[in-house]
Each structure stands twice: as C-alpha cells, then as structure tokens.
Amino acid sequence: MPRFNERTLPGTVTTATAAPQDAPAPAPAAAPAPNRRATLALTSAATAVALMTYTAPMVTLPQTAAALHTPLSAQAWLLNGTPLGLAALLLVAGSLADDYGRRRIFVAGTFALGITTALGALTTNTWLFTLARIAQGGASAALLASSLGLIVHAFPDPRGRLHATGVWGAFVSGGIALGPVVTGAIPNWRLSYGVLAAAALIVAALSTRALSESRAPRGGRPDLAGAVTFGLALVSLVAALTLGRDGWLRAPVGLLLLATVALLGLFVVLERRTATPMIDLSLLRRPRFLASSAGGLFTGLAVIGLFSFLPALLQQTLGLSAMETAWLFLLWSGLSFAVALQARRLAGRVSPRIQLAIGFVLHAGGTLAMLGAIGAGSWPRLLPGLLIAGVGSGLLNAALPLLSVESVPPQRAAMGSGAQQTFRYIGSCAGVALTIALATSSAGGLARGADIAMLVSAGLALLAAVGVVALRERAA
C-alpha cells in the first residue's frame, strides 16, 4: 500500500516535466525503531493484568459459586473458563500476530480483555460467567502470544532478549501473586472484576501510540478450521475430566474422551494440509521445541492445576477468609515473582532445559512437604512447602518464555510463544479438573482428597523433570 505522503493530493497541479533519468530513486523510509522500555513495560503490564484476571476466582470461588448458585460438581468450570479460552486460541493468535501485526493483535486482545472482564462482573448464572471467562481467555491469548513477539522484535540481541524475557516471565508470576491479593482485598468480587477491566483498558489505550508494529507475513488465510477443531477437542477433554469425578467408567466420560482423540486426529490432518497451519508440526521433531511444549504442559498440569483449587480448598477446610488465603499464597506467588526476576543471572551457567527440571523437582518437593497439613488443620505447616514450591515456580516461569522463543525461528516468535502457552493452559484445564475430581471424590473427605491431589501433582512434576532432561542438547 502506498503511503499517504506519496499520493497526489486533491487540487494538486501536475506537470509533464519528467525527473532526470539518472536521479536516484528515493530510499524507502526505515521503520521506526521500537521503544524498548515502552515495549517491555506495556507487554509486562498487560501480561500481569491477564494473569490477575486468570487467578481472580481462586480466592473468591466460594463467594462466586454462592452468588451464581454453582454446585460443587460444576465449580471446575468457574476456574477452567479462562484457561480453556487461552488453550483454544493461543496458537491461532500467535499465527495471526506474526501475519497481521503483533501490535494490532496485542492492542485488540488487551482491549477485549477489559470488555469481557467487565461483562463477567455482570453475569448472573454459572454458564454466563463461564462464557465470559472463556472470552477473557481468548482475549488473553491474543495479548500473551503477541507480547513475546513484540519483545523479540524490540530486543533482537541475545543479551537484551534474555533480560526482557526474564522480566516478562517475572510478571507472569507477579500477576499470579497480585490477583488473589487484589480480589481478596476488595469486599465484592464483582467490583474486583471492574477494577481489573479498567486496568486492561488503560494499558490498551497506552499501547496504541507507544508500541511499534512488526510482522512476519506468510500469506494465506487464518487456520479457522484448525482453531475450531482444536477448541472443540479441548472442551470435550475438560468436560470428560469434570464428569469423571462421578465415575470414570461411565459412558458419557468414555464418549467424550473418544471425541477428544478423534478431534485431535482431525486437527493433525487439517494442520498437514493447510498452507498456513496454527502450528508447524515439523517443529515437533525438534527436541528443544518438545522440551518447551512438555514444560508448558506439565507446568499447567502439575503446578497451575493444584494451586488453582488449593486456595478454595483451604477456605473450605481450614476456615480461612479470602484475604487470609490471599496473603498465605502470596508467599508462594511472591517468591515465584522474585526468583523469576533474578533467574536471568543463571544465563550461561544453567540451560533453560535444566532450569525447567530443577523447577519441577522443587515443586514436587514443596508439594510433598505440604502433605498432611490440611488434615491436621494447621496452615503454618503449609509454609515450608509453599516457599520451596514458590522457588520452583519462579524458575519455571523464567525458563519457559526464553525456551519458547529459542525453539523456533525468530520470525515465528509469536507462534512459538503461543505453542508453549497453549500446552501450558491445556495442562491447566486438565489439571484443575483432575485436582477437583481427586480432592472431592475421596471417601476420606476433603483432607484425604487434598493429599491424593498433592501426591499426583508431585508425581507429574517429577515425570516432567525426567522428560525435559532426557531431551538432550541435540535440541540446541
């Protein structure tokens, strides 16, 4: 498209005099260099708001469920709406950002997050709230996938990129830390959603002028068929895991799991045939990409799945208030933020893959240290485990974004980020549903069920540590 100052303006008189044949053609104007500080500040701020919105129901789940008349069997949907939207749309959002403009997708996603969060505050029943949360997840997918693409464009040098991805990863932990505190401090959960909505709209407004556009167009149309198929597969999986708490051998659960497998098979076929796939399946032959994807999947499954429901579990079993629970979990999430912010100092000493493994081992150790605390009715017994697991979470949040952008070509950074985060929130959806099913279906009550959920979380984390270590340096 020609630029405005190259067009003939109305009323301009043109002459037949030609420019000399040997006059040099004007050089194309260089794209303005991105403002590094503004890019990092705004992408980090939007990421923090998205994660605050994500974690908002964790400490307000009892009040929200009561206001919406949500039975225990359906509470997984209150927590799983946002990760479902994230997992379904992160891949397509990353591809759209690379093809049509990362700033454009980032601003649209941040603005949509503000609108959908405000709508969530106005809902009156479980399904409307869940739909609003799914829409929040879709909006968050747009801003999260494009934010790392904007960072890679603004920080092309390895040292600067290492610093920027470390800060961005720290704000993932920061959003998780602040979300429960903000929502717990505000007496009305609906009002807390209004505050988060206003924050998202402010960041969107600032981003329209402060960010520079970048893209890596491939041509072709968005992979809408792949996005729909993948989204339906995730809905089917989450529904199966949610219904499983009432019996894993029932026909509806089996049919939903079969539908998940069939839809995922169809998704693979569609991705192989389309010219512009949501995800380049050839990347699955790269061990580094596999490590990034597995790290994201098991972070969601083992870490996010457990800690999404544990605050509500503590309120139900130990009688803690929303604010007391928020302060308790600030030990975990706040330490995670601090560790993620400082983890860039490990560059050159510890590879992101090994850092992932250490993070998973620490999560497993911290989770095992919390066993029996709920049954004993003692929240102080949770403290050592929360601190150990917080360090592990910080290492995971610092290593995952760096590994995700290193595992793909630079021009596909948003897609690489979207892929890693897609697996992360697939794991989160499954992990939340599995944690609730394990914690609430035990014959020994919630305390016994919580211990079972913690054991499963620790086992999954140790399995992930072994898996990422096994993907050796041929990935490099």
Side-chain angles (χ1 to χ4, degrees):
M1 292 289 294
R3 289 184 297 274
F4 178 79
N5 59 7
E6 293 175 341
R7 296 174 181 165
T8 303
L9 299 176
T12 302
V13 178
T14 59
T15 68
T17 304
Q21 294 296 317
D22 57 350
N35 185 323
R36 288 188 168 199
R37 290 185 178 180
T39 299
L40 183 56
L42 290 169
T43 54
S44 297
T47 297
V49 173
L51 269 296
M52 290 170 70
T53 305
Y54 177 93
T55 58
M58 288 185 182
V59 297
T60 61
L61 183 60
Q63 299 95 311
T64 305
L68 302 177
H69 308 289
T70 307
L72 182 62
S73 60
Q75 287 184 16
W77 290 106
L78 301 183
L79 294 173
N80 265 341
T82 296
L84 184 61
L86 278 162
L89 292 179
L90 269 165
L91 279 173
V92 71
S95 293
L96 287 172
D98 284 333
D99 290 343
Y100 296 102
R102 294 157 186 150
R103 183 181 71 92
R104 178 180 298 173
I105 299 300
F106 177 84
V107 171
T110 308
F111 179 78
L113 177 63
I115 298 299
T116 54
T117 302
L119 291 175
L122 302 175
T123 55
T124 56
N125 61 59
T126 300
W127 290 110
L128 286 176
F129 182 82
T130 300
L131 289 174
R133 293 285 291 172
I134 292 173
Q136 289 168 32
S140 298
L143 76 88
L144 289 173
S146 55
S147 61
L148 275 178
L150 287 166
I151 287 174
V152 169
H153 176 66
F155 296 86
D157 55 296
R159 183 176 181 83
R161 185 179 303 171
L162 173 67
H163 167 75
T165 55
V167 171
W168 186 89
F171 272 81
V172 171
S173 298
I176 294 172
L178 288 176
V181 173
V182 170
T183 53
I186 297 174
N188 188 302
W189 67 271
R190 296 183 187 275
L191 180 59
S192 68
Y193 275 65
V195 171
L196 294 173
L201 293 174
I202 290 171
V203 175
L206 294 174
S207 300
T208 55
R209 291 182 176 273
L211 297 181
S212 299
E213 188 59 281
S214 66
R215 57 172 60 87
R218 299 173 295 169
R221 297 179 179 179
D223 183 19
L224 297 180
V228 171
T229 305
F230 193 68
L232 290 175
L234 289 179
V235 171
S236 180
L237 175 62
V238 173
L241 293 172
T242 302
L243 293 176
R245 66 178 300 274
D246 296 322
W248 296 99
L249 299 180
R250 294 186 303 138
V253 177
L255 290 173
L256 285 167
L257 291 174
L258 286 175
T260 301
V261 173
L263 287 165
L264 289 176
L266 178 59
F267 173 73
V268 170
V269 171
L270 291 172
E271 295 306 282
R272 290 185 181 277
R273 291 186 176 182
T274 184
T276 53
M278 286 171 57
I279 182 171
D280 182 357
L281 295 178
S282 66
L283 290 172
L284 294 174
R285 294 194 291 268
R286 295 186 178 188
R288 181 173 291 183
F289 184 81
L290 283 176
S292 169
S293 301
L297 178 67
F298 279 90
T299 295
L301 194 60
V303 181
I304 301 176
L306 177 65
F307 281 95
S308 290
F309 186 62
L310 199 54
L313 196 59
L314 293 180
Q315 292 180 54
Q316 295 175 37
T317 56
L318 302 184
L320 299 178
S321 68
M323 197 60 202
E324 289 169 340
T325 308
W327 283 118
L328 184 61
F329 272 79
L330 187 61
L331 292 174
W332 170 71
S333 52
L335 188 58
S336 175
F337 170 77
V339 170
L341 198 60
Q342 296 300 319
R344 64 183 185 275
R345 301 181 187 277
L346 296 174
R349 303 174 187 175
V350 181
S351 71
R353 180 177 56 86
I354 299 301
Q355 189 174 316
L356 280 180
I358 296 172
F360 280 122
V361 170
L362 288 173
H363 170 78
T367 302
L368 293 174
M370 292 190 290
L371 287 174
I374 294 178
S378 172
W379 65 262
R381 281 187 55 181
L382 294 168
L383 299 182
L386 289 172
L387 293 174
I388 296 170
V391 175
S393 177
L395 292 175
L396 293 174
N397 286 334
L400 282 171
L402 180 61
L403 190 59
S404 71
V405 298
E406 285 184 346
S407 66
V408 296
Q411 65 272 21
R412 304 303 296 155
M415 188 274 291
S417 168
Q420 178 265 125
Q421 293 182 83
T422 294
F423 284 106
R424 180 186 182 113
Y425 293 110
I426 289 174
S428 172
C429 287
V432 167
L434 182 61
T435 298
I436 293 177
L438 292 172
T440 60
S441 60
S442 172
L446 285 176
R448 175 61 178 166
D451 283 347
I452 294 173
M454 290 178 189
L455 283 171
V456 170
S457 175
L460 290 170
L462 292 174
L463 179 62
V466 172
V468 295
V469 168
L471 295 167
R472 293 187 184 276
E473 290 306 326
R474 62 192 184 94

